[in-house]
């Protein structure tokens, strides 16, 4: 569900990015705040410095979740999507014209950004594919496994501890389901020994590959 393989903040520490980095302005938002909405005129590019936000499309009372932005991810406010903080968040932002000008002024910056945008496109298609062709349980397993591989901490004796820090309702929004269905599937995974709930939003996964295999076996 994450957009980038790379952490863009790491790239910005390189000497060729010094001018671009200096043009970014730090902004903070509380939990539940909208960083951008489709009906707002602001046209900016921002990079997540701390915290997480969900990206989703909304129409009347329906929502379609696209993914999670976390530290190092880049996004633009001029899409048709909503971006809402899942926790207190801090971003580095610049108006689109300034960002574009900095890219054009330095070929190395432009080259790096093309690679990053390509990675975003690849991961966006993977997200769409998962939503279109996988069932809810497979999408939930994919989310847990992805978080484990990216952010999991090795546990003593094997396995991985992953802190997702999202409520069941938030997980349900991210996989396009209901809280009741996601709660049911989580309990099934616990009963099968594929995950262990340590506390709210924190899980132990004894074998990430086995968890992923369980999700693959459910895909059409």
């Amino acid at each position: 569900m994450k957009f980038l393989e790379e952490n863009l903040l790491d790239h910005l520490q390189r000497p060729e990015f010094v001018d671009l980095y200096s043009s970014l302005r730090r902004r903070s938002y509380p939990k539940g705040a909208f960083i951008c909405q489709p009906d707002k005129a602001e046209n900016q590019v921002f990079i997540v410095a701390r915290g997480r936000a969900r990206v989703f499309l909304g129409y009347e009372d329906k929502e379609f979740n696209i993914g999670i932005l976390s530290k190092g991810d880049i996004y633009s406010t001029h899409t048709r999507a909503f971006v809402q903080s899942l926790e207190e968040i801090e971003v580095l932002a610049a108006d689109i014209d300034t960002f574009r000008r900095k890219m054009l002024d330095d070929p190395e910056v432009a080259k790096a950004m093309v690679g990053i945008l390509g990675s975003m496109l690849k991961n966006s298609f993977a997200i769409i594919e998962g939503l279109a062709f996988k069932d809810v349980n497979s999408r939930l397993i994919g989310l847990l496994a992805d978080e484990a591989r990216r952010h999991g901490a090795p546990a003593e004796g094997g396995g991985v501890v992953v802190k997702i820090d999202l409520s069941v309702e938030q997980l349900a929004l991210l996989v396009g389901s209901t809280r009741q269905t996601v709660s049911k599937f989580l309990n099934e995974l616990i009963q099968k020994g594929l995950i262990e709930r340590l506390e709210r939003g924190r899980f132990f996964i004894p074998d990430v590959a086995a968890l992923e295999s369980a999700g693959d076996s459910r895909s059409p």
Side-chain angles (χ1 to χ4, degrees):
M1 302 297 286
K2 193 178 185 296
F3 279 97
L4 291 182
E5 296 290 342
E6 302 90 353
N7 183 331
L8 184 53
L9 292 177
D10 293 338
H11 289 272
L12 291 175
Q13 304 307 311
R14 290 158 48 187
E16 61 266 34
F17 282 89
V18 62
D19 288 339
L20 176 59
Y21 188 74
S22 65
S23 70
L24 301 173
R25 297 294 175 262
R26 195 172 294 269
R27 294 184 174 184
S28 298
Y29 299 85
K31 180 179 179 179
F34 285 98
I35 299 170
C36 63
Q37 301 180 63
D39 58 346
K40 301 299 182 183
E42 193 174 41
N43 195 3
Q44 299 211 346
V45 172
F46 67 87
I47 301 163
V48 179
R50 176 174 59 85
R52 291 177 298 169
R54 69 182 181 110
V55 182
F56 67 98
L57 300 174
Y59 179 73
E60 294 181 347
D61 60 342
K62 297 180 180 179
E63 293 181 359
F64 181 86
N65 285 274
I66 299 173
I68 298 175
L69 296 174
S70 56
K71 185 177 179 180
D73 277 337
I74 184 172
Y75 205 73
S76 172
T77 63
H78 71 282
T79 70
R80 293 175 56 199
F82 294 84
V83 180
Q84 184 181 33
S85 60
L86 291 169
E87 57 200 26
E88 186 178 336
I89 192 171
E90 195 171 73
V91 303
L92 302 174
D95 66 85
I96 192 73
D97 290 333
T98 298
F99 196 85
R100 181 170 57 240
R101 188 171 62 252
K102 295 295 183 182
M103 283 181 59
L104 293 175
D105 287 344
D106 193 327
E108 286 301 315
V109 172
K111 181 180 176 182
M113 288 305 302
V114 166
I116 290 165
L117 292 172
S119 178
M120 283 188 70
L121 184 61
K122 175 184 174 183
N123 282 279
S124 294
F125 275 116
I127 291 167
I128 293 168
E129 180 182 312
L131 289 168
F133 300 113
K134 294 184 178 180
D135 63 18
V136 173
N137 199 22
S138 295
R139 296 200 296 270
L140 178 61
I141 287 172
L143 187 152
L144 293 170
D146 184 64
E147 288 293 306
R149 291 201 180 279
R150 293 176 185 274
H151 307 298
E156 186 176 349
V160 174
V161 173
V162 57
K163 183 180 180 182
I164 297 179
D165 200 22
L166 299 173
S167 68
V168 175
E169 185 174 4
Q170 288 173 322
L171 286 174
L173 286 171
L174 290 170
V175 298
S177 185
T178 65
R179 183 183 63 80
Q180 292 83 357
T181 299
V182 168
S183 180
K184 174 176 173 282
F185 283 147
L186 282 173
N187 287 331
E188 287 181 3
L189 293 174
I190 291 170
Q191 290 169 6
K192 292 176 181 177
L194 292 170
I195 66 172
E196 178 183 339
R197 195 199 309 265
L198 301 178
E199 58 188 16
R200 180 185 179 277
R202 189 164 171 263
F203 299 90
F204 169 67
I205 302 175
D207 188 332
V208 177
L211 178 64
E212 289 175 319
S213 294
D216 292 339
S217 66
R218 296 184 60 95
S219 299

